Amino acid sequence: MDPETPTAWPVRRRMPDLATLDDVTRAAVAAAVTRLGTLHEVFAERFLASVRSHVPGYAVLSDEEIRASARRFMDILVSELTSLRIPDAALREMLGEYAVERAARGVPLDVLAVGYQLGSREMLALLDEVAAEVALPADLLLAVHDSTWEFSNEASAVFARVQHDLAVERAHFDAERRSAFAAGVLGGGFPAERINRDAHLYGLVPQARHVALAARARSADDADAVRRAVASAVRVPADRLLLAQVGPDLGFIVPRAPESVAGHLVAVGPPLPLDRLDAGFEEAALALETALRFAMSGVVRLADLGPRPLVLCGAHTAEGLAVRHLTALEATGRSSTDIEETARAYLACDQNVREVARLLAVHPNTVRYRVNRFQQLTELDLRRTEDLVTAWWLLNRRQG
């Protein structure tokens, strides 16, 4: 919410519009402002003594830093009252900047809230003294007291908002830093010296074995879903998970391979030290691409995919072989689909005709006929090892 909008903060309950004061009261306010303008150092010393006595969290600040913040507060108060304005917007802006500065110095923002309350108390005590000197009306002085304490509560809200914003900023910076490290490790962009030097920043032991994972996301929301699913599977908090976009894939560095990742396809590399994990990710990425081509799901490893990754290789070679062996098959029209499906099942079932017949719900003689027809049209003799391998490779590549 915009703090300057009329609905952002409640109206002061008893504070009058200073511009509407009668001449006598206005003169008293002017005299009070003039007198306050001479008391910057008095207020600075009182505020310093108060926080040194009651707020240990200010120990990281020097005496002069504390005095300077008190003078800034007094400057705004005097400036606003000189113009007959209640110090709201300017003071909120000052408090926001003040909170950011103090947080950078290591002062907790809840400590700042206590410090602000002490400062308000010292300011009101000083104002009471000045009010007695200039005969400031009692009802106006009471209204100032009420308004000051109401604003003290608002100041706590300002500090809380700054604390939230800083926490979000720190989390974003930490996520970017973790992502850069993961990308450097998995993508092979970091030398071993840098990996070994920085690993402890992320709770990693360089020479311990870690596992690279690869996954593919369709959108930012999908990427977040994958991240959370992987984090749950490997029992690592989602905001502590090391991941990065590496080419088309999401890459993860995890302490152990997941047994399953609910609802997602994830490829797993071998356990390796951090400075060799780029090789593990390369293997996981190849397994992922293969699994995607074959419409697989769950957790996959390259070692479990058999010769399937070979279908991703040799595009030029595949085109030449396809022209040579599959052109005649394709020319048969609709029957080519049945012949090709049967041949693929025949190879997948280790040439077991009865198993293929059961799988396709056809007669074994139909299987034999289609396999023979496949061999005639493609000139690939499935009794010969080389032809069998070529047929398997071409058919699975086409399917992928």
Side-chain angles (χ1 to χ4, degrees):
M1 182 182 295
D2 184 353
E4 300 308 318
T5 60
T7 58
W9 303 101
V11 177
R12 298 285 180 266
R13 288 179 300 178
R14 298 186 55 183
M15 195 68 185
D17 183 350
L18 299 182
T20 65
L21 298 177
D22 59 57
D23 291 342
V24 174
T25 304
R26 185 177 296 191
V29 170
V33 169
T34 299
R35 180 66 176 126
L36 286 171
T38 68
L39 298 175
H40 282 70
E41 295 307 319
V42 172
F43 175 64
E45 292 301 328
R46 290 186 182 183
F47 179 62
L48 173 63
S50 182
V51 296
R52 286 295 187 227
S53 298
H54 302 291
V55 191
Y58 271 61
V60 297
L61 302 176
S62 68
D63 288 355
E64 187 51 37
E65 286 176 308
I66 296 173
R67 292 190 189 98
S69 65
R71 295 186 194 106
R72 287 170 62 190
F73 181 88
M74 179 71 85
D75 284 340
I76 289 175
L77 180 65
V78 170
S79 174
E80 297 289 275
L81 290 178
T82 299
S83 303
L84 297 179
R85 292 194 300 265
I86 301 171
D88 284 358
L91 192 54
R92 288 192 196 100
E93 182 178 357
M94 175 262 188
L95 289 176
E97 296 172 353
Y98 175 70
V100 172
E101 292 172 5
R102 292 299 181 248
R105 292 296 310 278
V107 180
L109 295 183
D110 56 338
V111 170
L112 286 185
V114 174
Y116 184 82
Q117 290 175 347
L118 289 176
S120 297
R121 187 174 71 182
E122 294 299 335
M123 176 58 68
L124 289 175
L126 187 60
L127 184 60
D128 287 346
E129 297 171 14
V130 172
E133 294 178 19
V134 303
L136 196 67
D139 59 340
L140 180 57
L141 181 61
L142 182 59
V144 171
H145 272 258
D146 285 347
S147 179
T148 298
W149 287 118
E150 286 180 20
F151 192 89
S152 180
N153 293 330
E154 295 176 11
S156 296
V158 171
F159 294 148
R161 187 189 67 225
V162 170
Q163 187 172 34
H164 173 267
D165 292 346
L166 290 175
V168 170
E169 184 178 335
R170 282 194 296 269
H172 182 68
F173 173 77
D174 183 58
E176 288 185 337
R177 188 176 62 169
R178 297 173 73 82
S179 177
F181 179 78
V185 172
L186 298 175
F190 283 177
E193 293 79 9
R194 179 171 179 179
I195 293 173
N196 294 334
R197 182 194 69 203
D198 293 347
H200 74 279
L201 297 174
Y202 310 98
L204 304 177
V205 178
Q207 295 311 312
R209 292 181 177 271
H210 301 81
V211 175
L213 307 180
R216 193 74 58 85
R218 296 179 298 273
S219 65
D221 288 343
D222 190 35
D224 188 60
V226 174
R227 176 178 68 91
R228 294 183 181 280
V230 169
S232 176
V234 298
R235 299 179 182 177
V236 172
D239 62 343
R240 298 289 89 190
L241 197 62
L242 282 165
L243 76 151
Q245 188 75 37
V246 185
D249 301 327
L250 284 176
F252 299 82
I253 300 175
V254 297
R256 68 191 70 84
E259 294 183 5
S260 64
V261 179
H264 299 281
L265 170 64
V266 175
V268 178
L272 292 170
L274 281 177
D275 58 7
R276 292 170 49 205
L277 205 58
D278 57 325
F281 179 71
E282 184 176 348
E283 182 172 316
L286 177 57
L288 176 66
E289 188 65 34
T290 304
L292 288 169
R293 286 291 192 97
F294 285 89
M296 302 174 74
S297 60
V299 173
V300 297
R301 293 172 174 79
L302 191 63
D304 299 332
L305 297 177
R308 290 184 182 87
L310 296 176
V311 304
L312 305 182
C313 306
H316 181 72
T317 301
E319 290 171 5
L321 287 172
V323 169
R324 177 180 175 184
H325 294 291
L326 301 182
T327 300
L329 174 63
E330 292 169 348
T332 62
R334 293 182 61 182
S335 64
S336 67
T337 301
D338 292 336
I339 294 172
E340 185 174 329
E341 179 186 24
T342 302
R344 185 180 293 110
Y346 182 71
L347 297 177
C349 294
D350 298 325
Q351 305 180 57
N352 186 322
V353 172
R354 292 192 177 279
E355 179 62 20
V356 176
R358 185 194 64 79
L359 184 66
L360 301 181
V362 298
H363 194 277
N365 286 341
T366 302
V367 174
R368 295 186 182 96
Y369 169 78
R370 290 177 181 175
V371 170
N372 287 334
R373 189 66 176 141
F374 175 83
Q375 294 182 111
Q376 291 169 3
L377 292 169
T378 62
E379 298 181 357
L380 291 170
D381 184 351
L382 300 184
R383 294 170 299 181
R384 298 180 65 246
T385 299
E386 289 185 5
D387 283 2
L388 184 147
V389 171
T390 301
W392 181 93
W393 188 68
L394 285 172
L395 291 174
N396 280 283
R397 187 176 181 87
R398 281 164 66 87
Q399 184 183 40

